Amino acid sequence: MQVVRIGLDLAKYVFEVHGVDKHGKVVVRKRLRRDAVSRFFANLPACLVGMEASNGAHYWARVLTELGHQVRLISPQFVTPYVKSNKNDRNDAEAICEAVGRPSMRFVPRKSTDQLAVQAVHRIRRRLVADRVRLVNQIRGLLSEHGIVIARDIAQLRRGLAFIVGRVNDGLSEMVQALMRELQAELAELDRRIATYDRRIREIFRTSEQCQRLGKIEGIGPVTATALIAAVGDRTSFKNGRQFAAWLGLVPKQRSSGGRTRLFGISKRGDRYLRTLMIHGARAALSRASGKQDPRSLWLGKMRQRRHPNVAAVALANKNARIVWAMLSDDTAYEPALSVKAA
């Protein structure tokens, strides 16, 4: 059995294997339990293994690579066109096997254990921030039912909530005041936990030389720098900076036909969290550029005058993404003068 290419459909407990030889003939179709996957691939000669970039894919990529196999991760959206007939685990494994053999297929960068750990910190922090936003909105909504309207700024809410809870008679019943005290304590606990993860991210930033170099770029701070390093595994997966920016969803969406080019807003593909950090960082850089006389700030000011602030922020985020790719690919430091000359 000369298996040269395998499609592995991942799951929690049951895995489907579809393997072909050098002529594309099916030589193995097998269903494996989770504890039998490593043993099965250990007894196979080295071959190309394709998997969808889903939950647990980076772990199994690391395991199979240690067994001598060449592993490629594919975005699920690129596997879908190769699924024949109805969708099931066997057809998915066959589609993965077919997709991984295409010479023009694009693959997902693999992540190390350290990168996955940093990514876990960011994901937990993002969930806590979302919980705090939901809690703040609920507090504002409950108070508005009693005629108390607080501005959307979270600092205003903290001050207003402390004032409401501290007063004895504010037109609120004892039950509502008790509920507000509980929500205030919950908000303080979320603030404390988010601050803990912020300190952890800053510590990761201080101990990483790559993050320190990325932090020199205007619009990229500790949170964005550590998130980028955690997300970008094998940097050779991107041929150029534009491909990296497209991976982040910062390039225009295109629907061209018949020789007519039609460009729309950004594609918004890829990691929404990374794209959001890049754009928010670009907004902050644009706001700080006003009044400065260095070449980059002057360039940003001219772009701000020509285009809408949102367009300018996305353009700067796109440019920063290309700068990040260039710095990581060549292992160089940030040079503001070169970034302005390339504009």
Side-chain angles (χ1 to χ4, degrees):
M1 184 174 61
Q2 298 297 325
V3 182
V4 299
R5 192 170 72 248
I6 284 181
L8 178 63
D9 183 59
L10 302 177
K12 291 183 177 67
Y13 306 109
V14 179
F15 295 67
E16 195 72 35
V17 177
H18 182 96
V20 298
D21 60 12
K22 62 181 180 179
H23 302 293
K25 181 180 178 180
V26 180
V27 293
V28 57
R29 279 182 177 172
K30 197 174 184 66
R31 178 169 292 180
L32 301 173
R33 300 291 296 180
R34 184 180 183 88
D35 55 359
V37 174
S38 298
R39 185 168 60 253
F40 172 80
F41 281 95
N43 296 325
L44 280 181
C47 60
L48 176 62
V49 181
M51 296 181 290
E52 286 186 335
S54 57
N55 186 29
H58 294 284
Y59 165 77
W60 286 110
R62 185 168 62 253
V63 171
L64 299 186
T65 300
E66 292 173 355
L67 295 175
H69 299 283
Q70 184 182 9
V71 182
R72 293 288 182 268
L73 304 182
I74 311 174
S75 176
Q77 63 178 338
F78 296 144
V79 176
T80 302
Y82 296 95
V83 177
K84 298 178 182 177
S85 187
N86 298 319
K87 175 178 169 49
N88 54 54
D89 292 346
R90 173 166 289 190
N91 288 343
D92 286 347
E94 182 179 358
I96 295 170
C97 184
E98 182 68 23
V100 76
R102 299 300 91 198
S104 61
M105 181 57 62
R106 288 177 287 180
F107 301 105
V108 176
R110 285 175 47 199
K111 296 179 179 62
S112 64
T113 53
D114 293 337
Q115 289 175 310
L116 292 174
V118 176
Q119 196 173 63
V121 173
H122 278 272
R123 287 179 175 175
I124 295 174
R125 179 186 178 276
R126 179 173 56 175
R127 193 257 306 170
L128 291 174
V129 171
D131 290 343
R132 184 172 64 181
V133 171
R134 286 191 288 267
L135 177 61
V136 167
N137 290 336
Q138 185 181 48
I139 293 173
R140 293 181 65 249
L142 292 174
L143 290 176
S144 67
E145 293 291 338
H146 296 273
I148 301 175
V149 178
I150 300 178
R152 287 183 294 179
D153 182 54
I154 191 170
Q156 295 279 356
L157 177 72
R158 292 192 184 98
R159 288 192 292 267
L161 193 59
F163 179 75
I164 292 170
V165 171
R167 295 184 63 177
V168 178
N169 186 9
D170 197 19
L172 298 176
S173 64
E174 294 182 0
M175 179 179 292
V176 174
Q177 286 190 333
L179 293 175
M180 289 301 112
R181 282 191 290 270
E182 293 178 4
L183 293 178
Q184 185 187 34
E186 184 178 351
L187 179 60
E189 176 63 18
L190 284 174
D191 289 337
R192 185 192 64 80
R193 295 189 63 188
I194 292 172
T196 300
Y197 281 94
D198 287 340
R199 288 193 296 270
R200 190 170 295 174
I201 289 174
R202 286 194 296 270
E203 182 63 27
I204 296 171
F205 178 80
R206 283 193 295 267
T207 56
S208 172
E209 188 268 338
Q210 284 184 323
C211 292
Q212 291 281 335
R213 286 193 286 114
L214 295 186
K216 301 294 183 180
I217 304 173
E218 295 86 348
I220 295 182
V223 176
T224 307
T226 53
L228 284 169
I229 295 299
V232 182
D234 185 7
R235 293 177 293 279
T236 59
S237 298
F238 306 103
K239 296 180 181 179
N240 48 49
R242 189 188 186 283
Q243 193 175 92
F244 178 57
W247 181 70
L248 292 174
L250 292 170
V251 299
K253 183 188 297 183
Q254 183 176 176
R255 291 183 181 176
S256 303
S257 179
R260 181 182 178 185
T261 302
R262 300 180 63 191
L263 299 179
F264 298 87
I266 58 175
S267 65
K268 296 185 179 180
R269 295 177 180 175
D271 195 325
R272 179 185 296 180
Y273 178 66
L274 278 177
R275 184 172 59 255
T276 301
L277 290 177
M278 294 291 290
I279 293 176
H280 285 341
R283 293 185 197 278
L286 284 170
S287 65
R288 293 195 302 266
S290 59
K292 296 182 179 180
Q293 298 301 317
D294 59 283
R296 183 178 173 87
S297 297
L298 293 175
W299 172 75
L300 291 176
K302 293 178 181 178
M303 182 174 63
R304 179 70 179 272
Q305 293 175 359
R306 296 194 311 266
R307 307 303 298 269
H308 189 277
N310 292 339
V311 177
V314 173
L316 180 57
N318 185 307
K319 185 177 184 62
N320 285 344
R322 298 181 185 218
I323 294 173
V324 167
W325 178 85
M327 292 173 59
L328 295 179
S329 299
D330 300 333
D331 198 22
T332 56
Y334 174 58
E335 298 182 24
L338 292 179
S339 66
V340 176
K341 290 179 181 179

